[in-house]
Amino acid sequence: MSDLLLLGGIALCLISVLVAVVQLLRTQPPRAAAILLVLGIAAIFAAAYLSPQPFTLEQIPQAWARVTGGTTTP
């Protein structure tokens, strides 16, 4: 569950950057981008709360491999 929350939170944060750029180019306030960013950060914090061990950067590809059923290189 924490893998899904971690990857979902990262995806929401990345999407929020794209949405912010689009909304600023259209001269709109980036409200949707701010909401997506807050949801992404909340998902990452929820994943950290549910995980039995602290997160490191190496865990992101490992979480992707566990979710997709692939393998990672050492």
Side-chain angles (χ1 to χ4, degrees):
M1 182 68 177
S2 64
D3 291 339
L4 291 174
L5 284 171
L6 175 64
L7 294 174
I10 292 170
L12 284 173
C13 289
L14 291 175
I15 291 170
S16 74
V17 173
L18 296 173
V19 170
V21 169
V22 169
Q23 287 182 329
L24 288 173
L25 287 174
R26 296 174 72 189
T27 64
Q28 296 176 343
R31 291 184 189 119
I35 292 170
L36 286 174
L37 183 65
V38 169
L39 289 175
I41 292 171
I44 292 171
F45 277 127
Y49 179 75
L50 293 176
S51 178
Q53 56 191 355
F55 281 136
T56 60
L57 286 177
E58 293 85 27
Q59 285 185 330
I60 295 171
Q62 294 171 359
W64 179 260
R66 285 191 296 268
V67 169
T68 61
T71 60
T72 59
T73 58

